[in-house]
Amino acid sequence: MNETYHTWRLTFSVLATVGLYSVLYRENKFYRFFEHLFLGLASGYTMVALWTETLYSQWWTPMVGSHLDPVTHKGADANGYWAYMALLPLGLMAYLVYSKRHNWISRIPIGIILGFWSGQQVQVWWNRYGPQISDSMKPVVPNAFHYVDAQGATQFSLLSPPATAVAQPGAIFGTTALSNLVFVLTFICALSYFLFSFDVKNKLLNGMTTSGRWLLMVGFGAIFGSTVMMRFTLLIDRMYFIWIEWLQDRILPLFLHR
Amino acid sequence: MSTAQTTLGEKLQSLPKPALYLVLILLTSVPLLVKITIPNKEAKPSANFYTMVTGTVDPTFPAFTTSIDATKPVLIQTDWTTSTRGESAGQFKSLMRILMIRNIKFCFYSAGDPQAPQVALDYISDINEERVKAGLRPYERWKDYVDAGYFPGAEAICNAIQNNFGTAFKNVQDQDAEGAESSVFESPVLKGVRKVSDFSVMILVTGSNTSNIAIERIKSVPMIMMVTGVMGPETQVYYDSGQLKGLVTGLKGLYDMESLMDKDPQFKGKVTTLDNGAKYYPTLHIALLLMIIAIIIGNVGMFMTKKRAA
Amino acid sequence: MGAQYLDTGWIAEAFTAMLVLFVLFNIWRAENAGKTGKEVYIRRIPGLNAIDEAVGRATEMGRPVIMVPGLPDYVDAIVVQAMNIFTYVTRIAARFSNPILVCCYNASVFTVAQEMIRDVYQQEGAIERYDQDSVRFISDRQFAFAAGVSGLILREQAAATFFLGNFYAESLILAETANSVGAIQVASSTQNTQTPFFIAACDYVLIGDEFYAASAYLTRQPVLVGSLVGQDWAKISVITMVLLGLLTTSIQIQGKTEMEKVASGPSKGTFAHVQVLSNPADPKSPMVDGPPRQMTVADTFMYRMLNPLPRDIKFHDEKAGTFERPQKPATNPATAAGGGQ
Amino acid sequence: MMDLLAQATPPSDSSPFWSAPNGSSHLVIGIGAALLLGIGLIFLLLQAPVRSRRWIVALFTFLAGGYYVLYFFWPTAIDRQPNDLPRNPMEGVTFWISDAFPIVSTFTNVLAGFLLGLGIYSLWRVHGRRIVKQQKDWFFSFVLLASSVMMAFIGYADWHSRQGLNGPLLANKANWHPINYAFDFFFEGGLQQMDAAMFSIIAFFILSAAYRAFRIRSVEATVLLATALVVILSLMGVITNAWQSGINHLGGPDAFVQNFSLDTIRTWLTNTVQTPSIRGIDFGIGIGSLAMGLRLWLSLERTGS
């Protein structure tokens, strides 16, 4: 029973995938059916996960506590904290949004959630940006010009040594210092592009902000390339699912054996 | 200028859309049947991730030797679902194979999607079937790994984990060997874990921006990540500043992991090493080539019409 | 212990507090300036010239201007600021009685948009030219919305399109369709991952904060203007800190750790002085002054300031590190699972 | 109050007032009282004068945000062991903030959970009206609501069957009941696969947009497409390898020309230009969200109606 069930399930999935892809040709009833089925299943599952994954373990259990099951000796004797019930009315206030006179009250739960979000922006700012500031302070003056090459002879070089050479730890060679300079200049130009409170008259500062916009494009180009890789990989995975996992492994064997 | 050239310029710029889509479907389907291995040069962030979880130092990056203590448990935040299966499933499976071969216990939870724990369990049972076929013992829920379920609001749970892991997972229950729900701290996996620093490493496998949220809040444990392509460049910034000790990005990162596993005696021959990465990577080449050609044709067509008009 | 991380020493609280003060002080300054009539200056970003040019061309050709305030779940600050920019565009279009179209993604955005657009026509004294259908609710499903708006762009042969706000993957369909009818496109997405596609497909893109700067410049609201100036001060302080760090690090790494030894008596872990375990094998062994070696970035003053030792590990120096605290009376030996830190 | 928010203490010695054993009458009365207290608060707010409404919402928002700001700026206790007691009132507050943290963070989860019902309710209202009035596409709205009810029912039944003793038995498919098959069919077979289809459909739009709209029209677009080209080429193992073998012909492993292998160019571009550029964007967004956080926390921002 298991194998035939699995084949039926895969067939249903392929049908749904082809149904959704049919919008590429043009919007049609077959597509609209699967789109609404998709939205229905998604909202249905959200209602399940709402209780099973969130409210049950994060609100109901701490509120009512739990007791040790005498038969299986499982679970634990935990007290229930009745004050949790006060959260329910706070949540229900949101449903007043539909009343004409009292819909301002619905802004309280949303205000509390926005308050939690905005308080955290202050809390987490440094965790995210502190290490990046510290990492952006790169030395732009080299402090080492010699390295010991594979044959043991010390070489003078402005360029950073080849992989096989040995240099003392923390050595900054000419090319590394130059790259660090490009790094810091890019960072400062990119950040100064977002300065709005003073008019940039002199040539140098103006040059910095316009080159800032071009340097931002390098960052966006990398995001573009990486996103393209991901989207195509997801499509290849869908094709693999249809042609190999379904057609080749499931459907063809049925016909070939007969 | 002869009118033939204008029509060519016009024609180049106006291939019908359905034809374009059909070509893309063909070029992402036919190559799947061909089995060729592609030479690969691992990126440094992927090699660092690999060294962290397997202990094998990659010869191309000898300087990076940090790796996790296999006796301590690993904390995994898995926020991906089948929607990014193409990249995340392969990444998650290679991570599971590594942890299971090295007998490392892990606790996973999700802060990104209510469906994510269920998806992770399904793939763990697939890997178990694979291990049983290869004559290895299956990984058991409760004894080897624990599912801590879904927490809505990634900000809340990441903050709570950093502040005090004991109380953050206080109410979390999972099915023990006999099936009844009991606190995860009684399981062999989390025995003796009080703070997040008791874990050897925290691994995030995600298809969304929960990566930024975790980096902003969790800082007392080394962190490594497996992200999809779209989050790659943004998360690379944290790898460069040292906030991340390893980073696997998209299909290329997955193929780096798989080719490293294929060269590693710990895994070679014991468990499948080349999986989704090796299957999709050749086809990705052809799709990307099509993309480049499409941009070139579009621009050539434009220049031809502009030149004629000038 | 993940010590390679930065634990927030005093620098974290101080720097964040400074940024908070910058923003609040400037909002207060802008509010006062509003009362005394003196304006707080913010520059006109090039994006606004692109908007004027786009609307100008649309009025010349007499073809409609299509505006989309993004795909938000509810009316948030980003939608309101997008609508502020759209009211500016509608005011120009109303003067030349050029048709406009605002496509909304959900009901609450639709009601807000209708109100704001009708107000513009009222203020321009052209209420009779206000067309009820110029603000439409298309759909609240992502791809159905994209298909609906693309249909409108093709049927109405839009001359200019404005996509400002929260856009996701469907932005490609909109930008490509508008491109096919030859419309001038000005766009901005708060989603970093969508901006590259807008840049490649549209004529002008407002990147990141430029979107807020445009709406602050047009609406002149003191809170927005003040907050923007405060953010500028914060960015300048980050830039100066990086430049300062750059200079001190570059100078310090030229020297040796020994050379920088502070003259006044034994130095306990001062910035210039690097201490190592006397017996590296035993972590408990006392710290001694390390042999002189080339300074690395990790020994410099700025790095040690920004990456203080994590505070909750015991200091090597026995006296300062341990804190004797009164202990909780041990009423019950078996503490339940998961209790305590 | 201190002990309510410090539920880290094991139940056996937690406060008799705020908590009570499972199923005890004290607990049931407490829960009833809390519910009445909350509903009383709602009625009180209904009578609130119009002038004070903005301040009430602002107060709730300020208190919610204030906790996290206090958590960040208040000095943390150094080297705190599980059974430590605070040495002075200042450290007492530190202990209370740290212990209350997981409780406060669940408030966000629970409230978000309650608000989720709002979204589902508005979905039902729109599609319910379309069915009742037999408007265009009413059949598809019926499909939506029917599948939503079915999925909710199957989902609960499946979750319920996995609780209790036979939970682990259901790990292998042999002992599945029909309800488990139904849930797997619609969850794994339907919802998950359609999710994947919608995510992958964007590849088609990228290709058509690339072909029809990505033009070398400005310096910016040129820099963007050039960088994207380098990134895409470096993602392709075949091209990197071919380029590398070309370079190897020109010079040995230590030769200067090795600096021009595609992989080295890509790594240099990533470390030296891409990372600072994205860091610049990231800082713009980070400082922007800090400012927006402050505006929302202190209710300075005028949002919508």
Side-chain angles (χ1 to χ4, degrees):
Chain A
M1 207 314 245
N2 205 310
E3 276 314 305
T4 43
Y5 160 75
H6 201 59
T7 309
W8 275 109
R9 196 192 79 182
L10 279 176
T11 315
F12 171 61
S13 308
V14 168
L15 209 62
T17 306
V18 169
L20 291 175
Y21 275 7
S22 64
V23 77
L24 290 171
Y25 182 61
R26 66 175 162 68
E27 223 276 346
N28 57 69
K29 289 217 179 316
F30 190 51
Y31 165 76
R32 224 170 296 166
F33 171 78
F34 279 105
E35 193 197 358
H36 282 74
L37 179 66
F38 178 36
L39 286 168
L41 292 179
S43 68
Y45 184 76
T46 311
M47 282 191 275
V48 174
L50 175 66
W51 176 260
T52 59
E53 305 285 344
T54 328
L55 295 183
Y56 176 71
S57 59
Q58 299 252 311
W59 175 64
W60 182 260
T61 322
M63 181 167 70
V64 295
S66 57
H67 60 277
L68 187 67
D69 184 335
V71 172
T72 63
H73 296 294
K74 278 299 142 231
D77 262 340
N79 279 6
Y81 285 80
W82 51 268
Y84 268 93
M85 178 48 89
L87 286 176
L88 182 60
L90 265 182
L92 297 182
M93 285 184 195
Y95 293 86
L96 283 172
V97 74
Y98 293 105
S99 96
K100 283 288 164 291
R101 246 159 38 83
H102 302 302
N103 61 27
W104 72 273
I105 293 184
S106 71
R107 288 222 303 280
I108 291 178
I110 293 169
I112 292 174
I113 289 179
L114 280 181
F116 281 135
W117 177 81
S118 42
Q120 283 179 46
Q121 296 312 308
V122 175
Q123 179 217 346
V124 299
W125 195 86
W126 182 266
N127 281 357
R128 183 166 171 184
Y129 295 102
Q132 294 188 47
I133 294 179
S134 164
D135 176 66
S136 301
M137 298 177 180
K138 293 183 186 291
V140 291
V141 175
N143 73 349
F145 298 97
H146 299 278
Y147 64 86
V148 176
D149 63 12
Q151 292 76 24
T154 53
Q155 305 278 4
F156 169 83
S157 114
L158 280 176
L159 315 177
S160 50
T164 53
V166 170
Q168 89 260 50
I172 307 280
F173 283 86
T175 40
T176 333
L178 197 65
S179 298
N180 290 348
L181 187 64
V182 171
F183 183 101
V184 175
L185 281 181
T186 313
F187 177 65
I188 288 173
C189 289
L191 197 51
S192 65
Y193 175 76
F194 295 109
L195 295 177
F196 306 110
S197 60
F198 48 86
D199 212 347
V200 173
K201 284 288 182 295
N202 75 33
K203 287 268 321 97
L204 174 69
L205 282 180
N206 210 332
M208 231 168 72
T209 37
T210 32
S211 61
R213 187 171 171 99
W214 293 342
L215 289 165
L216 288 178
M217 294 307 148
V218 172
F220 283 122
I223 293 176
F224 179 93
S226 206
T227 307
V228 163
M229 167 183 79
M230 167 187 159
R231 294 297 176 189
F232 279 139
T233 309
L234 295 185
L235 176 62
I236 294 166
D237 173 66
R238 280 295 91 195
M239 289 302 129
Y240 183 84
F241 173 73
I242 293 174
W243 305 121
I244 313 282
E245 283 181 36
W246 179 63
L247 191 64
Q248 180 183 323
D249 294 351
R250 291 282 166 178
I251 302 302
L252 290 188
L254 294 180
F255 295 107
L256 296 187
H257 288 326
R258 248 184 221 109
Chain B
M1 287 301 169
S2 66
T3 54
Q5 202 178 5
T6 35
T7 46
L8 181 65
E10 290 307 327
K11 235 190 288 112
L12 279 182
Q13 286 193 70
S14 56
L15 292 175
K17 242 198 274 194
L20 212 60
Y21 294 153
L22 212 58
V23 167
L24 181 58
I25 288 177
L26 280 175
L27 292 185
T28 47
S29 306
V30 170
L32 284 174
L33 309 173
V34 169
K35 291 272 176 299
I36 38 171
T37 55
I38 306 275
N40 184 32
K41 191 169 186 309
E42 300 86 25
K44 185 164 182 284
S46 315
N48 291 169
F49 183 101
Y50 186 79
T51 307
M52 271 297 269
V53 278
T54 60
T56 329
V57 177
D58 185 347
T60 39
F61 305 102
F64 188 83
T65 54
T66 9
S67 74
I68 56 175
D69 163 6
T71 57
K72 289 165 88 175
V74 163
L75 182 64
I76 300 178
Q77 178 173 325
T78 164
D79 294 337
W80 62 278
T81 59
T82 315
S83 53
T84 55
R85 180 186 97 147
E87 290 182 327
S88 311
Q91 292 171 345
F92 187 74
K93 281 200 278 187
S94 58
L95 176 64
M96 283 299 118
R97 289 186 185 110
I98 290 173
L99 294 180
M100 291 182 184
I101 284 278
R102 300 194 69 205
N103 270 318
I104 296 173
K105 297 187 187 316
F106 57 90
C107 159
F108 70 86
Y109 68 97
S110 167
D113 196 297
Q115 303 162 1
Q118 177 79 42
V119 171
L121 286 172
D122 294 344
Y123 277 96
I124 288 176
S125 62
D126 290 353
I127 300 281
N128 268 337
E129 274 161 31
E130 193 186 278
R131 280 169 61 88
V132 166
K133 275 204 209 80
L136 299 163
R137 73 167 179 86
Y139 241 53
E140 287 158 53
R141 187 170 182 171
W142 189 259
K143 198 167 76 62
D144 298 309
Y145 67 90
V146 174
D147 163 19
Y150 165 67
F151 299 89
E155 293 83 359
I157 186 60
C158 288
N159 263 329
I161 285 175
Q162 167 63 22
N163 173 57
N164 179 338
F165 184 78
T167 44
F169 275 41
K170 187 160 80 76
N171 299 326
V172 171
Q173 301 185 323
D174 193 17
Q175 295 174 1
D176 61 16
E178 292 85 25
E181 291 279 307
S182 43
S183 162
V184 285
F185 287 96
E186 285 156 22
S187 71
V189 177
L190 295 181
K191 185 68 71 187
V193 168
R194 281 291 159 273
K195 302 198 294 295
V196 73
S197 45
D198 296 338
F199 288 103
S200 60
V201 70
M202 175 167 177
I203 306 176
L204 226 88
V205 187
T206 177
S208 63
N209 76 338
T210 51
S211 48
N212 295 342
I213 295 165
I215 279 178
E216 285 168 354
R217 290 165 178 77
I218 294 176
K219 56 183 189 317
S220 311
V221 67
M223 196 185 286
I224 53 178
M225 282 194 184
M226 301 175 116
V227 296
T228 51
V230 66
M231 288 308 291
E234 275 181 52
T235 322
Q236 172 89 20
V237 170
Y238 302 120
Y239 169 76
D240 289 339
S241 67
Q243 289 163 285
L244 282 184
K245 280 313 181 187
L247 176 63
V248 168
T249 305
L251 183 66
K252 173 69 166 63
L254 169 58
Y255 190 58
D256 291 347
M257 289 285 289
E258 287 185 355
S259 45
L260 283 168
M261 275 168 80
D262 206 37
K263 291 187 280 191
D264 191 339
Q266 276 189 68
F267 310 103
K268 182 71 181 159
K270 295 207 186 68
V271 79
T272 358
T273 49
L274 297 173
D275 193 0
N276 289 19
K279 284 186 205 137
Y280 297 160
Y281 196 48
T283 318
L284 179 68
H285 278 69
I286 295 159
L288 291 176
L289 274 182
L290 175 66
M291 168 86 177
I292 293 168
I293 292 164
I295 294 181
I296 292 170
I297 292 178
N299 279 292
V300 161
M302 179 190 77
F303 281 125
M304 289 171 94
T305 33
K306 203 180 279 182
K307 194 158 60 88
R308 205 211 61 72
Chain C
M1 182 55 202
Q4 89 282 10
Y5 271 101
L6 156 84
D7 187 281
T8 46
W10 59 273
I11 186 79
E13 277 90 352
F15 197 81
T16 315
M18 183 180 75
L19 299 192
V20 168
L21 283 181
F22 281 165
V23 174
L24 296 184
F25 169 69
N26 277 290
I27 289 179
W28 174 78
R29 194 163 65 96
E31 299 266 352
N32 281 11
K35 291 195 191 70
T36 58
K38 178 158 61 48
E39 279 296 314
V40 171
Y41 175 80
I42 52 171
R43 68 184 167 91
R44 179 183 171 87
I45 54 164
L48 288 174
N49 305 343
I51 290 175
D52 290 344
E53 192 200 320
V55 182
R57 196 174 120 188
T59 45
E60 271 160 35
M61 299 157 72
R63 282 167 35 209
V65 172
I66 292 188
M67 296 176 267
V68 182
L71 281 80
D73 303 334
Y74 50 88
V75 180
D76 58 10
I78 293 165
V79 170
V80 169
Q81 291 185 15
M83 284 312 299
N84 290 337
I85 299 175
F86 287 165
T87 44
Y88 169 75
V89 170
T90 314
R91 184 159 292 117
I92 303 173
R95 248 178 248 131
F96 297 97
S97 66
N98 193 55
I100 60 140
L101 247 171
V102 178
C103 310
C104 302
Y105 182 63
N106 65 27
S108 51
V109 173
F110 174 68
T111 39
V112 168
Q114 219 166 17
E115 254 169 69
M116 294 173 91
I117 298 293
R118 194 189 308 111
D119 289 352
V120 168
Y121 277 88
Q122 213 117 31
Q123 284 152 20
E124 288 301 308
I127 193 62
E128 76 288 349
R129 282 206 297 274
Y130 169 64
D131 162 13
Q132 186 68 18
D133 292 345
S134 61
V135 179
R136 296 190 193 175
F137 166 65
I138 306 289
S139 148
D140 61 358
R141 297 191 316 281
Q142 182 183 15
F143 287 107
F145 178 81
V149 175
S150 305
L152 270 174
I153 293 173
L154 290 169
R155 274 194 305 282
E156 304 283 337
Q157 285 295 311
T161 53
F162 297 96
F163 305 126
L164 303 172
N166 283 325
F167 279 91
Y168 305 93
E170 76 300 325
S171 60
L172 283 164
I173 311 172
L174 303 176
E176 185 210 322
T177 321
N179 211 290
S180 64
V181 295
I184 287 194
Q185 296 185 74
V186 176
S188 166
S189 165
T190 47
Q191 298 301 322
N192 237 349
T193 49
Q194 278 316 311
T195 310
F197 296 104
F198 269 147
I199 292 171
C202 300
D203 297 288
Y204 194 88
V205 175
L206 305 172
I207 301 175
D209 288 356
E210 276 190 303
F211 170 71
Y212 301 108
S215 96
Y217 182 86
L218 293 176
T219 57
R220 285 267 154 242
Q221 276 172 7
V223 171
L224 288 181
V225 171
S227 161
L228 211 61
V229 174
Q231 287 170 48
D232 273 11
W233 289 20
K235 288 168 195 160
I236 293 166
S237 55
V238 167
I239 290 176
T240 28
M241 196 162 182
V242 166
L243 286 178
L244 203 65
L246 182 112
L247 288 178
T248 54
T249 310
S250 301
I251 295 163
Q252 274 198 310
I253 58 166
Q254 305 306 331
K256 291 252 178 304
T257 49
E258 193 60 48
M259 211 167 53
E260 306 291 331
K261 190 165 170 35
V262 174
S264 61
S267 52
K268 281 272 175 301
T270 49
F271 291 116
H273 203 79
V274 173
Q275 295 203 315
V276 291
L277 288 169
S278 53
N279 157 13
D282 159 24
K284 282 279 168 291
S285 62
M287 299 288 288
V288 289
D289 293 345
R293 60 169 170 73
Q294 185 73 32
M295 286 272 277
T296 62
V297 173
D299 307 326
T300 56
F301 164 76
M302 279 304 247
Y303 185 88
R304 304 274 295 265
M305 183 178 79
L306 292 173
N307 303 295
L309 275 175
R311 283 183 304 175
D312 55 7
I313 61 166
K314 282 201 169 20
F315 288 105
H316 284 276
D317 175 346
E318 289 316 318
K319 278 190 301 306
T322 52
F323 288 85
E324 278 70 34
R325 289 197 182 86
Q327 291 306 310
K328 217 173 281 178
T331 48
N332 57 331
T335 49
Q341 162 101 15
Chain D
M1 182 60 184
M2 290 281 276
D3 194 55
L4 160 71
L5 290 181
Q7 289 163 30
T9 50
S12 47
D13 62 2
S14 52
S15 93
F17 175 70
W18 288 106
S19 77
N22 175 270
S24 66
S25 58
H26 172 197
L27 186 63
V28 173
I29 296 163
I31 289 177
L35 189 61
L36 287 179
L37 198 76
I39 291 167
L41 176 70
I42 293 182
F43 278 109
L44 205 66
L45 289 170
L46 292 180
Q47 269 64 36
V50 179
R51 249 185 310 86
S52 67
R53 287 180 178 177
R54 231 177 83 75
W55 288 107
I56 293 172
V57 176
L59 178 67
F60 274 99
T61 314
F62 180 78
L63 288 177
Y67 176 79
Y68 282 100
V69 173
L70 187 67
Y71 177 79
F72 176 66
F73 282 115
W74 199 268
T76 49
I78 295 175
D79 186 30
R80 176 184 176 194
Q81 299 309 324
N83 285 327
D84 276 1
L85 285 176
R87 285 173 296 153
N88 49 44
M90 172 110 163
E91 201 163 61
V93 173
T94 312
F95 278 29
W96 175 71
I97 294 176
S98 167
D99 293 341
F101 200 87
I103 317 303
V104 173
S105 58
T106 52
F107 290 170
T108 329
N109 303 351
V110 172
L111 277 179
F114 287 137
L115 291 189
L116 223 53
L118 203 58
I120 305 289
Y121 171 69
S122 69
L123 193 76
W124 277 65
R125 208 158 56 93
V126 165
H127 290 278
R129 192 185 314 123
R130 196 180 288 177
I131 296 173
V132 166
K133 293 205 183 103
Q134 302 277 327
Q135 290 167 343
K136 181 174 164 301
D137 281 352
W138 67 270
F139 170 70
F140 296 112
S141 292
F142 172 74
V143 164
L144 190 146
L145 296 185
S147 55
S148 181
V149 166
M150 178 192 67
M151 190 61 185
F153 173 72
I154 292 175
Y156 272 116
D158 175 78
W159 175 73
H160 200 64
S161 72
R162 288 173 190 272
Q163 304 309 317
L165 288 185
N166 46 29
L169 299 179
L170 293 176
N172 69 58
K173 294 191 174 169
N175 359 352
W176 268 10
H177 312 300
I179 202 71
N180 303 112
Y181 275 109
F183 177 72
D184 179 69
F185 186 83
F186 285 107
F187 175 73
E188 190 51 40
L191 190 55
Q192 295 285 57
Q193 303 301 336
M194 287 202 252
D195 227 4
M198 290 314 281
F199 261 69
S200 56
I201 208 166
I202 293 149
F204 293 101
F205 301 140
I206 286 182
L207 184 68
S208 66
Y211 168 66
R212 290 157 58 106
F214 294 174
R215 294 291 187 270
I216 311 286
R217 63 163 60 78
S218 61
V219 174
E220 292 148 16
T222 321
V223 171
L224 188 135
L225 290 178
T227 321
L229 191 65
V230 168
V231 165
I232 289 176
L233 288 178
S234 72
L235 289 175
M236 297 154 90
V238 167
I239 305 243
T240 326
N241 203 289
W243 190 308
Q244 182 65 40
S245 50
I247 296 270
N248 288 347
H249 285 310
L250 299 174
D254 281 358
F256 178 73
V257 78
Q258 283 298 343
N259 288 329
F260 298 99
S261 80
L262 185 58
D263 188 55
T264 326
I265 296 174
R266 164 77 165 106
T267 328
W268 184 84
L269 197 68
T270 310
N271 298 343
T272 317
V273 187
Q274 173 195 324
T275 300
S277 150
I278 292 180
R279 197 167 274 171
I281 304 166
D282 207 16
F283 268 82
I285 292 168
I287 293 171
S289 51
L290 178 68
M292 180 178 279
L294 285 171
R295 294 200 304 266
L296 287 177
W297 176 39
L298 304 171
S299 305
L300 304 168
E301 182 97 36
R302 244 172 8 95
T303 49
S305 50

